[in-house]
Amino acid sequence: MRNHTSLLPARRTVRRAERRLRRRPVLLSATLAIGVLATAGFTTATPASQAEASGALTGFALASYSTSPSVAAEEVPSASAADEAVAAANAAVTAATAVASDIAASGLDVGTPVTTVDTSGLETAVEQLQRAQALPAMYSTDFTEAVTTLAASVSEQAQGLRGRLDAAVALKAKQEAEEKARKEAEAAAAAQAAAEAEAAAAKKASSTPSAPRPVYATGGAVGGTSPADAQATARSMLGGYGWGDDQFGCLVSLWQKESGWNYQAYNRSSGAYGIPQALPGSKMGSAGADWQTNPATQIAWGLGYISGRYGSPCGAWSHSQSTGWY
């Protein structure tokens, strides 16, 4: 649907051209009437009068064939000016069509609900200019001006929409770049967190005491001096501390590491002695004077030391695994 407002300059142009066309027959009729009267006077006058009439005719002839002042004052456009106006109009329509198509294809919000340019008024003005070119050149002046003015308006609107589209494209590119950077940063952070978690897990695994692998001696008897006898004696004493067989495995592993359950084990570098490797060995005297020769005395002292300091054999084993001693 064409915009009727945009057709007003063209309609005024048509009315102005029509008024000019109506004036021209009047001027022509007046000229012809005066010419007839002048001719009749020339045929009936005396020679003197004829000479005077001849001079008058000459002056009339100049007046009757001169262009009217209103028409002469107007600038008559050249054919090239009209062609240039039409070319500018075609370029403006092409630009308007292209930007509307580009906006629709982009699917972007360009900040205005109107994303097309109404070119109907310009197209109508071009049609009128082309029809006016069949009239005398002086009548195409207003049509040429109208096309030029409308073409400039359409071109300006198309350029405005093009600028909005370019801005929307730039904004989208910026947002996509920011989103890409955000995702890359999140991925990098997640990778770093995963690496840190893996390192922490590895560190924890390396620092976590391994489960005891007790070496149980068989055939032992409570009260004997062999490693098997010492383990049998220790097992019989666990109940007095409220510990079960689960603690016995930790105890077997702990003292296997310390002394191999040998009541005569002696560490020359530190001076530790006996099954529990008491340092100094004389500490075990609190459990009995025979601490040097009786495995049961050493075990009784060792279990009391473990209970008081670590709470259980497994607690002592864990500390030994972490630090190398208990």
Side-chain angles (χ1 to χ4, degrees), residues 9 122 143-154:
L122 175 57
F143 291 103
T144 301
E145 293 176 354
V147 169
T148 301
T149 301
L150 290 172
S153 176
V154 169

Side-chain angles (χ1 to χ4, degrees), residues 24 46 82 104 169:
R24 290 181 65 81
T46 62
V169 170

Side-chain angles (χ1 to χ4, degrees), residues 48-258:
S49 300
Q50 289 175 356
E52 293 173 0
S54 177
L57 182 60
T58 302
F60 176 76
L62 291 174
S64 64
Y65 286 98
S66 63
T67 306
S68 67
S70 61
V71 175
E74 295 179 354
E75 181 182 355
V76 178
S78 63
S80 61
D83 292 340
E84 290 174 1
V86 172
N90 289 335
V93 171
T94 299
T97 302
V99 72
S101 176
D102 291 346
I103 291 175
S106 71
L108 299 175
D109 180 7
V110 297
T112 176
V114 180
T115 57
T116 59
V117 180
D118 184 5
T119 62
S120 58
L122 175 57
E123 292 168 2
T124 299
V126 170
E127 293 173 0
Q128 292 172 340
L129 172 57
Q130 291 172 338
R131 288 197 299 268
Q133 287 178 306
L135 300 175
M138 66 186 72
Y139 295 115
S140 63
T141 300
D142 289 342
F143 291 103
T144 301
E145 293 176 354
V147 169
T148 301
T149 301
L150 290 172
S153 176
V154 169
S155 179
E156 181 180 353
Q157 294 177 62
Q159 290 172 358
L161 286 177
R162 179 64 65 183
R164 287 178 175 272
L165 176 59
D166 290 344
V169 170
L171 177 61
K172 180 181 179 182
K174 179 182 177 183
Q175 292 173 340
E176 289 178 346
E178 292 175 347
E179 180 65 12
K180 180 180 179 182
R182 183 187 67 79
K183 289 182 178 180
E184 290 177 349
E186 290 180 352
Q192 182 177 357
E196 291 176 353
E198 183 177 356
K203 182 178 180 180
K204 182 178 180 181
S206 63
S207 61
T208 300
S210 60
R213 294 188 179 93
V215 180
Y216 296 106
T218 61
V222 175
T225 58
S226 70
D229 295 338
Q231 288 187 15
T233 300
R235 190 166 195 169
S236 68
M237 295 182 182
L238 291 180
Y241 294 90
W243 301 330
D245 285 344
D246 58 322
Q247 295 296 320
F248 182 61
C250 292
L251 181 65
V252 169
S253 295
L254 176 65
W255 283 347
Q256 182 67 33
K257 174 186 174 184
E258 294 292 329

Side-chain angles (χ1 to χ4, degrees), residues 19-69:
R19 286 196 296 271
R20 290 173 180 165
L21 290 174
R22 285 197 296 270
R23 286 200 301 270
R24 290 181 65 81
V26 172
L27 294 173
L28 181 58
S29 298
T31 302
L32 291 175
I34 294 173
V36 170
L37 293 175
T39 302
F42 176 78
T43 56
T44 57
T46 62
S49 300
Q50 289 175 356
E52 293 173 0
S54 177
L57 182 60
T58 302
F60 176 76
L62 291 174
S64 64
Y65 286 98
S66 63
T67 306
S68 67

